[in-house]
Every structure is written in structure tokens, then in C-alpha cells.
Amino acid sequence: MSSIEELRARLAEIDDLSNAAELLGWDERVMMPAAAAEARADQLATLAKVRHEIFSDGRIGALLEEAEPEPGTIDADLVRVTSRDWEKTRLVDSELRAEMAKASMVAERAWVDARRESDWVALLPHLERNFELARRFAACYERFPGFEHPYDPLLDEFEPEMSTAQMRTVLAELRDGLLPLVAEIGDPDDQEPDHFRGEFAAGPQRELMKEVLAELPFPEGSWRVDETEHPFAFSVGHGDIRMTTRYDEDNLAFGLFSGIHEAGHGLYEAGVDPELARTPLATLRSLGLHESQSRLLENWVGRDRPYLDHLLPLLAERFPDPFASLSLDRVCAAANRVERTLIRTEADEVTYNVHILIRFELEVELFEGAVTIAELPKTWNARYRDYLGLDVPDDARGVLQDPHWAAGAFGYFPTYSLGNMIAAQLFDAARRDIPDLETRIAAGELAPLGEWLREHVHRHGRRLTPAQILERSGCGELSAEPLLEHLRARLAIRAPSSGAAGGA
Amino acid sequence: MSSIEELRARLAEIDDLSNAAELLGWDERVMMPAAAAEARADQLATLAKVRHEIFSDGRIGALLEEAEPEPGTIDADLVRVTSRDWEKTRLVDSELRAEMAKASMVAERAWVDARRESDWVALLPHLERNFELARRFAACYERFPGFEHPYDPLLDEFEPEMSTAQMRTVLAELRDGLLPLVAEIGDPDDQEPDHFRGEFAAGPQRELMKEVLAELPFPEGSWRVDETEHPFAFSVGHGDIRMTTRYDEDNLAFGLFSGIHEAGHGLYEAGVDPELARTPLATLRSLGLHESQSRLLENWVGRDRPYLDHLLPLLAERFPDPFASLSLDRVCAAANRVERTLIRTEADEVTYNVHILIRFELEVELFEGAVTIAELPKTWNARYRDYLGLDVPDDARGVLQDPHWAAGAFGYFPTYSLGNMIAAQLFDAARRDIPDLETRIAAGELAPLGEWLREHVHRHGRRLTPAQILERSGCGELSAEPLLEHLRARLAIRAPSSGAAGGA
């Protein structure tokens, strides 16, 4: 066996163990009987430990050294990407990893109670512990090439090879364009009423979702959709996409657009070149790029006029009240209402990014020492006042609303807005390359867009960075401007319809 | 860390990996999208390989040597049972195991086609290959203490510490009592009609099954029931019982009694002492004992008059036609019809064991060299003629009907009848110990029986052998006589009702 063959065999086993863990995680959230929680935690910890031991073994390092792949081949990318992962893994000792896993598990449990009770003081020591561990984690990478800012190693966990400086530049550009737009939003009561709120039985919602997903360009027999409190999507191996959504009987938009969002993640996983299966190149590590695919499908397709044109008869068939009597204009306007609100997960497309900007700024300030964990509520509330003009009435609707920090996931938030920016750039490129794109979508044909995305984004897996993917798709460098332009257009949809609604 | 602590930690990880593999297997049969088959096979192979490497490591052997557990403790049983497993594992090299796994996978696929086409010649080389590998496997144990017969190592895989000689003695006793009973069966048309055949929608069957299972003494929130072509049950860790059944809309008995059967397996898994969790003592290895629990619940409870008395109103509520107008006598008679047929999986309680006796005899003859694989169809058909008085019209309904030999599982079949014999002995003991057992069951109270089984059977896990469990439950030695007595009583149920039906 050559070095590269042995390397591939070992990496394939590691990938199998990762996928087994993914399936256990899926099952835990979708299928598992409640009494099994402790056993499942043990099983997941063991899989992580065994996987870590096999990957961090010196033999992998030796094989990476010995391998002499031909430049430009999959093997060359495999060695490059794996070498970086392997070197990173070796810098953090497994005891620290175990401490982090344990602390975040404890903190996440405490967060559930703290949010319910709006009790910041109860969560504070847990967040301080997580933050301290995150700083120790970051300190392990002191001499890692390319890391300059103390937040770099955190960000790198979710957005490999993107620096804090790059993220800060592009998010500042976004902020400068976005805050003036947000200031103009005005009174939500002047907009089209939200026709997606009302009474919508779960049964027909479920059928509608099956139909919507069946029209998407998934390989046959390669996915399933289930129901969970918090929707998610991931792959548990080649040919196996697991998506979830939740059917809210008061709010049709929630389940529908969550389902389409998760399908965007699912299509990305499904589109990876099968030749990358069972290698680290198939494990999509850039959350920004991943999120670009879900946002693109949810917002650039799902909430856009052509797709809603296709969707309206399906909606009207299952929910004649109100959809049988609504014009496409009014449905578009309802699907694109904009409102300054306190909760990130309920935010519309325009204000969503403001929630992210605030979190990103606070995270960077934390790691720069400009703010302490204890000062977070005060700083949070001030920033909501500044950026959204909102008073935060309690911490449950403020700094306690998200689980990320309790989960120890510092560095995760900015990838959401990164995803939005990349989506805007990619969709513009797809529209340029597919002249009849909107006509096709209005006819319910998602295949041309799916093919474009597979060709330019999905199939590459981790062989290309997000920057390379943008460059090669003709999008140029990462930029906030296409997203800002898209959001301006969104705000314009709302205005005429809002007038029409007012006149009705 | 003491030797025993380190041993326990390593064994806990191995147990976690086994449970992860069980969950992957469950998911494959119940949930997995079809396109994932190849990826799942890789994942399962990797989990098996990693598990084997960790278990067969010399360090486990050293720890087993060093450990000095106090006699009579869980640790003492742990060391005893694990030492035997470890020594057995080390005798077979992993290449042979891999060859066996691969050959049986190929053969199982070939079996599906061969059975459909009734094409013995197509399967023959695959079975010859499996048999050759099984003989090589058995030969690895040449000097293993206690193994005397070439079939011993095969049987030991499914029924640890039971010899071919012991199995042969007790099954000969069963055969000598059973064949005269079978000869008396007579014409099935003289019996009560099968009221469980007709039209029974899956929806109400599903609800009925949920209700039946909810009445059983499972710990709360510890199980789920799903649907698969071939029903099964197993545990994927403490607090996590997975059962399946199948609702046949023409045959209510199939789904109902399969579900109760699998619940018997499930209750056994659920009843293991929680202190044994994550040790090999919680992995129930005696298939005979396992099967005794499913058969006991299906046949000694489910098809018996007291339980049917409880069940009849539930049946009549969901399926008034025919159950609202049937007497308990007639329902009992219908649930206990007896008929000499060709297919094992469709056989009633009485004739079922004849199917097993034939398979066991052929397996032993194969390993003794008295018959070759090529001669199996001829020998099979002759034995069906002798024992059941039936002519086998084609191999699909003969030697090709079961997947076991294609799966390389020589030694599995006799555990089914062993389970029946043990069930009869245990149920007699439970009836002695719980004076109002039948009244309680007729009232739908399964808890007293459940507690008796947990106390005498379930909680021990692998700490006791089946022989020890029988002994300590006051059943004496393993014997076919209690089963024969039970079957004679079954045939008597049928006779008076059959008369009643004739007079109706």
C-alpha cells in the first residue's frame, strides 16, 4: 500500500466514525426515547474520543509527510487540507477538549433554565468558564501560521482560513450600508398583513413540504425530512441527507421557509463530488459557504416572486383560506415583511444581519479585552438601542436568547451574515449565467439553478475556499454590496404592495 | 486507576461502539434513504473493525490477568465472561472474519434472487463458500476448552457454553414427543376459521399495538416501535429499546403477535440490571434465553385465554367485524389453529419446532460430514416428508426459504426451539410463584409477570447461564417435557372449539 493509499484508508475510517456520530446526533434529536439520554451522551463521547485518537496519531502525520501527490489532483488537495487539520488537532490536548465539551454541556443545560427565568446571574459563571476555556483554546495556536488576532482560532473553527481582520472589514461594509436601510423601515402596520399567520393544520403543511422537496434537484432516494423543535440538516454519509423542519399551526411561513432553508443545506451536501466521499474534502467546513446555500434557497429563491408564483397554486390548493383569494403581489409582500424586533431567529432578511453584527462585535470585543462577560447585558442592550432603536426589556429577550455562547461556540455567529453576502454574490452570478433563470423557477424548474450551484459550489467540497469559489464563479472578491442591493430591492417590494394593501 | 477500573473503562467504550453499530443497523432497516446503502455498509464495517481492534488488544488480556475481583461480585462475573470472549476473539484472525463477512453479504444478496427464482443451483456455490469458511472458523477453536464436536464453535456463537451433545439430547426428547402430536393434527378445515384473516386497516392496527405495548411493564420513555418488513427488537443502550412490527392488512394476527413477540425481547433488554450497563454482562448473548422471552410473551401470554380475554374488547372496539360478535372460546381457537405447512415463519406453535428440528439435524449432519451442501435439497425434502408428511414442491418453499445459511449463520436455528423449551419451563415456574397470575393477566395487568421475569431472568444479564437461571427459578434442568405438555394443551383448545364452530 502506498502512503497515499494508507492515508486514504485511515481517513475513510475517520469519516465513517464521524458519520456514525452524526447519525447518533440525528437520532437523538428526532427519534430517541427520552430515557436514553445518558447512554447516548456516553456513546457520542466515545466516538469523538476514538476518532480523535485515530486522527491525531503520529502515523497520519508521517503519511502526510511521505505522500507525494501530483499537483492539481484530489490527492494534492487532500494532503493540503488534512495537513492543516492534523496540525491544528495536535496543538490542543485532549484534556482541554474534554473540559470544553463538559463545560459547554453543563452550560447549555443551565442556559435552558436561565433563558426561561431571564436569569443572567445564573448563567454568568458558566459563560465565564466557557470563555476562559475558549481563551485557553485560542492560546494553543499562538504560533500557528496565519493566526494574528486572539479571535482568529475561534473563527477558524467555523470559517477555516478566514481572518478576523477580513471578517471585520466586510461586516463593517455591511453595517455601513445596512443601518441607514434599517432606520427607514417605519411602522410594520403600514405593510401588507402577514397572510402566513392564521390557522394551518400540520397535515397539509407536511404534504406541501414533501411536494416542495420532491421538486428540488436531489438525487433519487437520498434524503428524508422529519420534524424537530429546531430545524436542521446534515449528511450522515454519501446518499444520506437528513433534514428537519417544524410545522407551526399558527404560522405557515415558519415550517415552509425553514424547510426550504434546510433543503439548501441538504442540496449542498448532496452535491459534493462522489469521488470525495469518505475523505475530509467531503466534510464541508466553511459554515459561511454552507449558510450561503440555505439562505440562497430560502431567500433568493423561496421568498422571491418567481418561486412564489409557482408556489401560490400549491398553497391555495391546501389552504384556500386565505391563499385562493390573494394576488401574487400581496403574497410576495407578505413573505417579505420587515420589522425591527428583538429576537434573531424571528428576524426578517433585512434586520437579521443587524442581530449578527451586534454579536460579532461583542465577540471580538470580548477577545480583545474591551468588554467582559459580566458586561455583556449592558453592552448588548446599548447596541440594540443604537442599531435597531429597540429597548431590551429583559435578558431572555436580550443576551440570553441564543444558545451559542452557552455551547462554547464563540466565532459561529458571523458566518450567518457571511452566508448572506456569499448568497447574494452567487445568485447574481447564476442569474447572469442562466438567462431564463426566473422563468424556469416560476415554472417550478429548480434543476438549472441546482446544476449551476453543483458545478460552481457543491461539487468542490473543501477543495476550494469560499474566496476561490467566488472568484471562479465570476463574483470577484467577497463584498457586502450585492447583499445590500438585494435588501434594498426587498424593501421596495414591500412599499408598493403596502400601498395596495392600504387601498384594499 | 486500578486494573479493574481501566478494564471497565475500555469495555465501556467497546460497548458504546457496539451500540452505535446497533443504531446504524436499526436506522438502515427503519429510516435510511435507499441511496445510502453503500456508505452505511462502510460505516458498519469500520465500527466492527475499530471495535475488534480495541477489544482484541493485548492490554485487555493483561488487565483481565491482573484484575483480582472479589468472588461473587459483578466484577468477578465481568472478568470471567470477558476472559472467555477475549480468548475466543484472539483465536480467529481478522482476515478470516472479514472474508466471512464479505462472503455472507454476497451470499445474502444472491439468496434474495435465488429464492425468488427458486434457483438452488445459483445459491449453491455461495453456500459452499460460507460452509467452507464456517469450517475454517470452527477449526480455529481446535484446542479451545470444552469444544468437542465440530459444530460446537458454531453453536457457541449463538448459545454460549451449550454443547452440541446437550442440544442434541434435548431436541431428540422434543422430537420423540412432538412427532406423534403432529401426526394427529388432521384437517385444518375442521378447526375454527381464522378470524384474524380478513380486512384490517393499518391505522387502527397501529393504535392497537401502541396500546398493547403501553400496558407492558416497560420503564417510561424507554422504547419505540416502528415498522419493517421483518420485525425485530434490540437495545441500542440503556433506556433505548427499538422494536418493529409489520401491519398486514389481510392478517391481523401477523402484526399483533409479531409486535408482542418483539416486546418480549424488548422487555428482556429493558430489564437488565442498570449496574451492568456499558459492560459485556449487559449484552445478552444466549439467543435461546432471548427467544424464551419473546416466545413466552407471544405464546404463553399473547395466545392464551386470559390475555385474549383482556384483548377481545380492544379488538372489538377497533374491528367490530368480526370481533364484536365472537365468543372468547372462538377467538382462542382461532388464535391457536394448527396446520402442517411448508414455511417455518408461517408455522403455528406446534409445528414450528418440527421446522427447527429438521434444520438442526441437517446442520449437525453437515458438520459431521454425513451430508454435503449439494445434497441439502434432497435431504431437506425427505425430512419434510418424514416429519410433516409434506411434499416440497420447489426449493423456494424448501431449502431456500430462510436467509440464515446464506448469512453464514450456522448454529442459529436450534436456539429457536431452545427458547420454546425454556419459555415453557419458566412460565410454569412463574405460574407456581404467582398464584393469581391468570386473573391478573385477564385484567390486563402484566406487571406481576414482568417483575417475576425481571427478578429471575432479565436483571442477571450474562451473569448467569440459561442453565443457572432455570435452576435458580426452580425449573430444574433443561427439559422438553414442559413444552410438550403446553403443546398438548394447545391442541386441546382447538378440539372443542372446532366442534363448536362446526355446530355454529
Side-chain angles (χ1 to χ4, degrees), chain B residues 189-458:
Chain B
D189 292 342
D190 292 342
Q191 300 178 37
E192 181 72 24
D194 188 349
H195 302 296
F196 291 89
R197 296 215 173 238
E199 281 180 39
F200 305 96
Q205 285 197 57
R206 212 169 273 132
E207 286 165 32
L208 176 67
M209 181 50 54
K210 294 255 159 87
E211 196 171 338
V212 161
L213 294 177
E215 288 176 347
L216 295 179
F218 281 105
E220 203 185 322
S222 68
W223 58 273
R224 54 176 295 137
V225 62
D226 294 279
E227 292 166 44
T228 50
E229 174 67 19
H230 301 288
F232 65 84
F234 50 66
S235 158
V236 298
H238 181 66
D240 200 344
I241 307 299
R242 310 282 171 123
M243 298 172 283
T244 71
T245 188
R246 172 163 59 83
Y247 305 110
D248 179 340
E249 299 204 324
D250 303 324
N251 181 1
L252 179 62
F254 183 87
L256 176 64
F257 292 117
S258 294
I260 294 174
H261 177 102
E262 299 307 335
H265 285 303
L267 284 170
Y268 185 15
E269 296 278 355
V272 175
D273 184 349
E275 287 203 33
L276 308 185
R278 299 181 84 212
T279 79
L281 296 174
T283 301
L284 306 164
R285 287 284 317 283
S286 159
L287 291 197
L289 204 49
H290 225 307
E291 193 72 5
S292 78
Q293 299 306 295
S294 56
R295 300 282 170 150
L296 188 152
L297 202 69
E298 177 190 354
N299 293 330
W300 277 260
V301 176
R303 292 181 196 270
D304 206 20
R305 189 178 176 90
Y307 187 74
L308 289 171
D309 191 8
H310 166 65
L311 192 66
L312 186 50
L314 307 182
L315 286 172
E317 185 191 322
R318 290 195 171 73
F319 304 107
D321 175 22
F323 294 102
S325 57
L326 285 175
S327 68
L328 178 58
D329 279 343
R330 297 187 65 176
V331 172
C332 282
N336 289 284
R337 284 168 52 90
V338 179
E339 187 175 353
R340 289 172 294 118
T341 57
L342 289 163
I343 306 296
R344 177 184 63 86
T345 56
E346 297 169 5
D348 57 78
E349 243 189 299
V350 177
T351 58
Y352 186 89
N353 296 290
V354 183
H355 294 272
I356 297 306
L357 291 170
I358 293 171
R359 287 155 177 78
F360 171 69
E361 290 175 5
L362 294 182
E363 286 190 344
V364 174
E365 289 161 28
L366 276 173
F367 284 87
E368 288 181 342
V371 63
T372 65
I373 293 281
E375 290 163 349
L376 278 179
K378 204 185 64 186
T379 318
W380 177 286
N381 296 353
R383 209 70 50 103
Y384 266 76
R385 179 80 253 168
D386 281 359
Y387 288 4
L388 283 166
L390 295 172
D391 287 318
V392 176
D394 51 49
D395 291 328
R397 282 172 282 182
V399 70
L400 288 174
Q401 68 182 267
D402 294 312
H404 299 59
W405 293 338
F410 299 98
Y412 191 122
F413 282 125
T415 67
Y416 291 117
S417 284
L418 179 63
N420 283 327
M421 292 185 287
I422 296 174
Q425 293 186 270
L426 289 172
F427 196 77
D428 283 351
R431 196 154 36 192
R432 273 196 307 273
D433 290 352
I434 312 168
D436 57 350
L437 179 62
E438 301 196 338
T439 322
R440 302 293 288 272
I441 292 176
E445 294 168 29
L446 277 301
L449 177 63
E451 276 159 36
W452 190 94
L453 291 169
R454 199 170 65 242
E455 175 62 24
H456 291 84
V457 183
H458 303 174

Side-chain angles (χ1 to χ4, degrees), chain A residues 258-495:
Chain A
S258 294
I260 294 174
H261 177 102
E262 300 307 335
H265 285 304
L267 284 170
Y268 185 15
E269 295 279 354
V272 175
D273 184 348
E275 287 203 31
L276 308 185
R278 300 182 83 213
T279 79
L281 297 174
T283 301
L284 306 164
R285 287 286 316 284
S286 160
L287 292 196
L289 203 51
H290 225 307
E291 193 72 5
S292 79
Q293 298 307 294
S294 54
R295 300 281 169 151
L296 189 152
L297 202 68
E298 177 189 355
N299 293 332
W300 277 260
V301 176
R303 292 179 196 270
D304 207 20
R305 190 180 175 88
Y307 187 74
L308 290 171
D309 191 8
H310 167 65
L311 193 65
L312 186 50
L314 306 182
L315 286 173
E317 186 191 321
R318 290 194 171 75
F319 303 108
D321 174 22
F323 293 103
S325 58
L326 286 175
S327 69
L328 179 58
D329 278 343
R330 298 188 64 177
V331 173
C332 281
N336 289 285
R337 283 169 52 91
V338 178
E339 187 174 355
R340 290 173 295 115
T341 57
L342 289 162
I343 307 296
R344 176 184 64 85
T345 55
E346 297 169 6
D348 57 76
E349 243 189 300
V350 177
T351 59
Y352 186 90
N353 297 291
V354 183
H355 294 273
I356 297 305
L357 291 170
I358 293 172
R359 286 155 179 76
F360 171 68
E361 290 175 6
L362 294 182
E363 286 190 344
V364 174
E365 289 161 29
L366 276 173
F367 283 87
E368 288 181 342
V371 63
T372 65
I373 292 282
E375 290 164 348
L376 277 179
K378 203 185 67 188
T379 319
W380 176 287
N381 295 353
R383 211 69 50 102
Y384 266 77
R385 177 82 252 165
D386 281 0
Y387 288 3
L388 283 166
L390 295 172
D391 287 319
V392 176
D394 52 47
D395 292 328
R397 282 172 283 181
V399 69
L400 288 174
Q401 69 182 264
D402 293 314
H404 299 61
W405 293 338
F410 299 99
Y412 191 123
F413 282 124
T415 66
Y416 290 118
S417 283
L418 179 63
N420 283 327
M421 294 185 287
I422 295 173
Q425 293 187 270
L426 288 173
F427 196 77
D428 283 351
R431 196 155 35 196
R432 274 196 308 273
D433 290 352
I434 311 169
D436 57 350
L437 179 62
E438 301 196 339
T439 322
R440 303 292 289 270
I441 292 176
E445 293 168 29
L446 277 303
L449 177 63
E451 275 160 35
W452 190 94
L453 290 168
R454 199 170 67 241
E455 175 62 24
H456 291 84
V457 183
H458 303 174
R459 70 183 176 92
H460 302 297
R462 280 179 80 192
R463 297 188 71 185
L464 302 179
T465 64
Q468 288 172 315
I469 281 175
L470 286 175
E471 184 62 40
R472 294 193 183 194
S473 308
C475 302
E477 288 195 3
L478 177 67
S479 161
E481 188 45 36
L483 173 61
L484 288 165
E485 204 168 306
H486 166 79
L487 295 178
R488 283 180 211 115
R490 278 295 190 249
L491 286 166
I493 289 179
R494 189 196 44 143

Side-chain angles (χ1 to χ4, degrees), chain A residues 13 16 19 23-24 26-27 31-36 39-40 42-43 46 49 221 224 236 238-240 242 278, chain B residues 13 16 19 23-24 26-27 31-36 39-40 42-43 46 49 221 224 236 238-240 242 278:
Chain A
E13 287 180 11
D16 290 336
N19 279 318
L23 184 75
L24 265 63
W26 173 83
D27 180 82
M31 298 289 165
M32 190 185 80
R40 183 56 48 87
D42 286 334
Q43 292 157 4
T46 292
K49 177 168 178 276
R224 51 177 295 137
V236 297
H238 181 66
D240 200 345
R242 309 281 170 124
R278 300 182 83 213
Chain B
E13 287 180 10
D16 290 336
N19 280 317
L23 184 76
L24 266 64
W26 174 84
D27 180 82
M31 298 290 165
M32 190 186 81
R40 182 56 49 87
D42 287 334
Q43 292 157 6
T46 291
K49 176 169 179 275
R224 54 176 295 137
V236 298
H238 181 66
D240 200 344
R242 310 282 171 123
R278 299 181 84 212

